[in-house]
Amino acid sequence: MAAARAAMVARLEDNGDLRPGPVRQALLALPREVLMPQAFVRRSQPDQTPPHWDLLDWSTPEDRQELLAVLYSGQSVLIQHDGEPLLGRMPAPRSGGRITSMSSTVAMTADLLHQLDLQPGHRVLDIGTGAAVTAAIACWICGDGGVVTLDRGQHVTDAAHARLAALGYRATTVTGDGEAGWPRRAPYDRLFMSYAVQRVATACVEQLAPGGRALATLRGTSPSWPGLAVITRTPRGQVVGELQAVAFGHCPGHGLPRIFLSKAFRDRIISGAGGHVLHSRQAPPADQPRALWLAVDHLRPGLVRTWVADHLMIGAPACGSWLTARPDGPGGWTLTACGPRDIWNEIQTIAARWRAAGSPHSYRLHFADDDQWVSAGSGSRELAWPLPQPQPLDTGTQENPACPSPVSPD
């Protein structure tokens, strides 16, 4: 298993996703098979319904080779189906339903942990426990006494409690609403939210210590253009926020709207059925910088980009509108559009506003009482939008008892 960990780390380094430092050392040291002794693999095609999964089990010899490959592939690892218990379950196929908890890709986790800049002695709040990979790395770097990991799923925190203990860590595991944080151990030097939200939880700001830093994936309605909220509290207590446009972000959290382009919708766009053709000398905005598309997502919500095409292909699932843009010669573009939304005009309008604001690569993130908003530029050229108010969740909160005495992780 040490060889599998080393191979995964080497791939991450070769791809530029990992650099020297404590995060790298933690990934080399932590056995993922202890944190994820079972994992699902999908046996059906992406658009096949109902979906089918097999649950691989580390204690089953014939599963080990495939499970080892899954755990150290660097990709997301699926750990829970339909909110089921993770401890004591029997490996058996699952059909229908959905995956309700997973471990994020290692490259994304490593990048975010690099940005957190964890240090020994830091007090850390990890919101969205999942497979407890982030919590384990925080324990390894900072020491387990200051680490709190919180998840809304009791079965998830029960498993994390047991598996962190198996590694010798006595982190605090909490079941509750991530929007509330965990004030009992506040303030925190570092705070990490492992699922996407539409605005930063007020508790994440209030529970941050002077000199502290918090990270959270912030999404509009689309999965295509995530943002990373970076919040710091200065030594004097001032809160400073930045919203960065990023290539990858966490999946939406509980209750956050999810939209996607179904296979039938994609096939309709590809066929061009019902579309009308236009020609333009104006090019569509390039994929880079992503900050422009982040503004499109928030100011003209409901659009999804498909990345499998070699040209611009965007749909609006709610109303069935879609747009494609293909180059048709020197300086010319062929547009095919369908539906009530004028997606081309929407994109170009926001692009003009983005350029007027100075073509920003990131945005200011503002906090005032219960209001949050994003802006760039100033005066009449300012590009700004409010972030939606959170929807309350009716969930209780409880803390698991302390883990038993540490044992050797290897």
Side-chain angles (χ1 to χ4, degrees):
M1 277 64 79
R5 295 199 294 272
M8 181 186 71
V9 166
R11 288 194 304 273
L12 292 167
E13 290 177 311
D14 291 343
N15 294 333
D17 296 322
L18 186 64
R19 58 179 183 264
V23 174
R24 177 186 181 277
Q25 294 171 315
L27 289 174
L28 281 173
L30 293 171
R32 292 167 67 82
E33 62 274 11
V34 174
L35 294 171
M36 295 172 282
Q38 294 179 320
F40 288 100
V41 290
R42 184 163 180 154
R43 301 304 192 192
S44 54
Q45 296 300 312
D47 293 296
Q48 181 180 335
T49 55
H52 300 283
W53 295 274
D54 282 342
L55 181 62
L56 303 178
D57 191 310
W58 188 255
S59 65
T60 304
E62 54 266 33
D63 285 352
R64 280 200 172 188
Q65 184 174 358
E66 185 176 8
L67 182 54
L68 190 70
V70 169
L71 295 180
Y72 293 100
S73 67
Q75 301 304 308
S76 296
V77 180
L78 314 179
I79 64 169
Q80 186 188 48
H81 177 264
D82 276 356
E84 66 188 352
L86 278 70
L87 297 175
R89 61 184 170 180
M90 297 298 294
R94 309 293 198 274
S95 181
R98 62 190 181 93
I99 297 298
T100 48
S101 188
M102 67 179 68
S103 174
S104 301
T105 64
V106 182
M108 183 174 68
T109 298
D111 177 66
L112 293 170
L113 289 173
H114 281 312
Q115 293 195 55
L116 271 183
D117 188 27
L118 297 172
Q119 299 293 329
H122 271 168
R123 296 158 295 176
V124 180
L125 176 58
D126 166 43
I127 301 178
T129 302
V133 172
T134 301
I137 293 174
C139 288
W140 195 92
I141 296 173
C142 307
D144 58 358
V147 175
V148 178
T149 184
L150 182 154
D151 198 279
R152 67 181 301 273
Q154 180 72 57
H155 296 316
V156 171
T157 52
D158 285 346
H161 177 76
R163 290 163 184 172
L164 288 170
L167 290 173
Y169 296 136
R170 304 199 301 177
T172 300
T173 55
V174 177
T175 303
D177 178 9
E179 295 292 311
W182 187 241
R184 186 177 301 181
R185 292 290 188 89
Y188 300 98
D189 302 297
R190 296 293 186 266
L191 193 150
F192 182 84
M193 185 166 282
S194 299
Y195 55 89
V197 293
Q198 289 186 306
R199 61 149 50 194
V200 180
T202 302
C204 293
V205 179
E206 294 176 343
Q207 295 174 21
L208 202 57
R213 181 181 305 165
L215 299 179
T217 296
L218 195 150
R219 289 187 185 271
T221 60
S222 176
S224 304
W225 304 291
L228 178 66
V230 182
I231 303 102
T232 57
R233 185 181 292 277
T234 69
R236 294 187 176 184
Q238 180 184 5
V239 175
V240 179
E242 180 184 19
L243 181 61
Q244 304 171 357
V246 294
F248 303 102
H250 285 111
C251 294
H254 176 69
L256 189 64
R258 303 179 186 216
I259 61 174
F260 62 95
L261 301 183
S262 67
K263 183 179 186 302
F265 195 3
R266 295 197 308 270
D267 290 345
R268 189 161 70 248
I269 298 174
I270 293 170
S271 72
H276 59 277
V277 178
L278 302 170
H279 296 277
S280 176
R281 304 297 294 178
Q282 187 177 26
D287 293 337
Q288 299 284 358
R290 298 181 185 276
L292 162 60
W293 294 100
L294 187 61
V296 170
D297 179 31
H298 286 267
L299 293 167
R300 296 294 185 270
L303 301 177
V304 182
R305 169 79 181 271
T306 176
W307 302 102
V308 297
D310 60 359
H311 57 278
L312 184 67
M313 183 185 295
I314 292 179
C319 66
S321 300
W322 53 265
L323 166 76
T324 64
R326 296 179 174 87
D328 60 10
W333 294 82
T334 295
L335 313 178
T336 308
C338 181
R341 289 184 64 166
D342 187 348
I343 298 175
W344 180 255
N345 181 64
E346 293 178 17
I347 292 171
Q348 295 294 358
T349 298
I350 301 303
R353 292 180 59 187
W354 173 79
R355 288 190 292 269
S359 302
H361 288 267
S362 64
Y363 299 91
R364 299 181 295 269
L365 183 57
H366 305 269
F367 304 89
D369 297 325
D370 290 332
D371 292 327
Q372 294 181 24
W373 70 99
V374 176
S375 73
S378 60
S380 62
R381 295 177 177 269
E382 183 181 50
L383 179 63
W385 62 87
L387 298 179
Q389 291 288 339
Q391 298 298 315
L393 297 174
D394 183 16
T395 58
T397 302
Q398 64 186 57
E399 182 176 355
N400 286 333
C403 291
S405 299
V407 296
S408 174
D410 291 317

